[in-house]
Amino acid sequence: MSHTHEAGWAHAAGALRGPSWLRQPTDVDALVPQLWSATASKDEAGVLSVGGVPLPALAAEHGTPAYVLDEADFRARAGAFRDAFAGYGVYYAGKAFLCTAVARWIDEEGLNLDVCSGGELAVAERAGFPMERVGFHGNNKSTAELATALRVGVGRIIVDSFDEIERLAALTAETGTSAQVLIRVTAGVEAHTHEYIATAHEDQKFGLSISSGAALEAARRVLAAPGIELRGLHSHIGSQIFASAGFEVAARRVLRLHAQIATELGVTLPEMDLGGGFGIAYTTQDDPSTPATLASELTAIVDGECAALGIERPHLSIEPGRAIVGPSMCTVYEVGTVKPVALDGGAVRTYVSVDGGMSDNVRTALYDADYSCTLAGRRSDAEPVLSRVVGKHCEAGDIVVKDEFLPGDVAGGDLLAVPATGAYCRSLASNYNHALRPPVVAVRDGVARTLLRRETVEDLLSTDVGDL
Ligand SMILES: Cc1ncc(COP(=O)(O)O)c(C=O)c1O
């Protein structure tokens, strides 16, 4: 295909290149290994298999769209965090993705579980997850949720406000129970995708500010409440973070507060949680650290600061979600329509519509997230064209993959697979346009099994009780 423009060929070609980081691949059918789960591979015919299961066969049996979860890869990533952070508490952040099977895998791999709602707690309970290894988060836990947490005996509650401390104190007194708590503090470090900005501005709903004195006051109040035992401080600076510098600033501030609590309130807290947020690769642009590197960096940061303050290192914990489940899952879609759209400068962008979209992956629309994709059912020798993979919803922003080179002969009926959709895709999925949320199918050693089934029209209609 050739395009002419009065500004010259490079003008149109520039628009065709997509974002500056996106390179036209030499082999458009090849997988970029760091974006895929460990067992993903393509055969000579271009058929993509995960966990020994060819995706065309999986799609034929389970339909599309479908989330495909590579069990061996998930367990390996969980195990890598467990081993690299030996001596830490490692809490899998269930908000990234949770179902009863995954809760069991987390238990079997020896990790703890972080939940942040009564619903996630119910999944953990249904899975038989040991409650003493559950941490309960949330900036607005209801009294009912706190009562459930006390009744089932969750190991720790991460308190996030003065109101919550009051509610928890009242509940423990009322029910004759006790709670171990961490205080979620705001360290004044705002972390964004590829950068961090150390700032005194703490304009957000989570945590109690260190700089304003609210966090110290919270410690004072928890220590004064008879049914609540203060175990430590908790700091989570954000998500999809690559630079350890953000953690360093936060750890320094949190450890200073930890030391201040010891000197001013006379209590040496035994624990500290550094949160999650470790970045993964969504595109060739992302270069995540291994758990081993993260562990040595975080430990060195904390040890250095403890030495400077002349204090003992508290028992540390972390809460990775995305870095465990994110790369373990991909989504397989079927292509419906293909539409070349003329752009300024004579360029053309090929819109490839798939049978899902923002209802199964809202991250692109919500966070301007980048993804990649590949043809999953066949090889193609066609020239790669700059494509945009879009969904079927009634929003122009219903984009799954903003920019990717796909073979120019992609057509209705082709299967496309998007890697790294394990975190915050199914868990943020919606029924927008009354879409049926797709199944999560686990694959391992050539066997596919449904963990979450596809929703049905009956599921949708079951909540519509009408006015009859
Ligand atoms: C308190 C807390 N811990 C852990 C996480 C997990 O973050 P990630 O999935 O990026 O590792 C989050 C994510 O929002 C969080 O808010």
Side-chain angles (χ1 to χ4, degrees), residues 78-425:
F81 269 98
R82 177 200 60 220
D83 295 344
F85 284 89
Y88 279 58
V90 180
Y91 287 75
Y92 169 67
K95 69 203 77 176
F97 173 69
L98 192 64
C99 62
T100 53
V102 158
R104 284 190 203 106
W105 298 351
I106 284 296
D107 182 20
E108 286 160 13
E109 295 303 326
L111 272 64
N112 306 316
L113 181 64
D114 148 19
V115 300
C116 66
S117 69
E120 288 179 6
L121 186 56
V123 174
E125 224 188 333
R126 164 80 68 90
F129 197 92
M131 285 296 148
E132 67 281 5
R133 286 175 28 222
V134 171
F136 190 22
H137 269 282
N139 67 300
N140 187 23
K141 304 178 196 76
S142 67
T143 306
E145 285 175 318
L146 288 171
T148 304
L150 291 177
R151 177 177 55 74
V152 301
V154 304
R156 62 191 210 178
I157 297 175
I158 296 86
V159 295
D160 196 290
S161 64
F162 294 137
D163 286 337
E164 185 180 353
I165 294 168
E166 218 171 279
R167 273 180 215 144
L168 200 52
L171 273 172
T172 51
E174 221 173 276
T175 55
T177 50
S178 64
Q180 301 207 321
V181 307
L182 271 63
I183 296 171
R184 171 103 182 239
V185 302
T186 330
V189 177
E190 202 179 300
H192 294 292
T193 303
H194 288 279
E195 75 211 50
Y196 74 98
I197 304 163
T199 165
H201 140 276
E202 296 174 353
D203 190 1
Q204 55 141 322
K205 69 174 186 167
F206 290 113
L208 289 140
S209 158
I210 296 179
S211 64
S212 75
L216 181 63
E217 175 57 21
R220 197 175 278 120
R221 293 191 193 184
V222 172
L223 288 168
I228 317 182
E229 183 190 345
L230 181 56
R231 299 288 302 170
L233 302 175
H234 182 293
S235 156
H236 170 80
I237 59 170
S239 277
Q240 187 61 357
I241 300 163
F242 291 94
S244 61
F247 289 102
E248 185 164 2
V249 178
R252 187 175 311 137
R253 294 179 185 174
V254 180
L255 280 161
R256 279 190 203 146
L257 175 62
H258 175 94
Q260 191 184 5
I261 290 169
T263 49
E264 290 186 25
L265 307 182
V267 178
T268 300
L269 300 175
E271 294 184 37
M272 179 171 295
D273 194 306
L274 302 172
F278 313 116
I280 64 165
Y282 287 105
T283 71
T284 51
Q285 284 313 281
D286 302 321
D287 187 16
S289 297
T290 61
T293 305
L294 288 170
S296 63
E297 285 178 1
L298 287 190
T299 307
I301 288 169
V302 173
D303 281 349
E305 199 53 36
C306 285
L309 291 166
I311 58 173
E312 296 262 301
R313 187 212 302 167
H315 180 256
L316 297 172
S317 48
I318 54 162
E319 292 172 344
R322 182 193 317 268
I324 293 177
V325 72
S328 299
M329 222 188 279
C330 66
T331 309
V332 57
Y333 299 98
E334 186 178 300
V335 174
T337 60
V338 178
K339 192 188 286 183
V341 173
L343 306 180
D344 286 351
V348 170
R349 194 196 307 282
T350 302
Y351 277 78
V352 176
S353 294
V354 294
D355 51 356
M358 64 193 299
S359 57
D360 57 76
N361 184 353
V362 76
R363 292 191 65 257
T364 309
L366 194 60
Y367 306 128
D368 202 24
D370 289 310
Y371 280 94
S372 161
C373 65
T374 193
L375 201 53
R378 64 179 175 92
R379 259 199 86 76
S380 169
D381 295 324
E383 264 300 292
V385 296
L386 183 64
S387 304
R388 176 160 287 175
V389 179
V390 295
K392 58 180 292 168
H393 296 288
C394 297
E395 296 276 339
D398 172 26
I399 297 169
V400 181
V401 183
K402 280 184 289 185
D403 299 285
E404 179 61 288
F405 281 97
L406 284 172
D409 64 351
V410 166
D414 272 328
L415 293 179
L416 281 188
V418 176
T421 56
Y424 308 104
C425 288

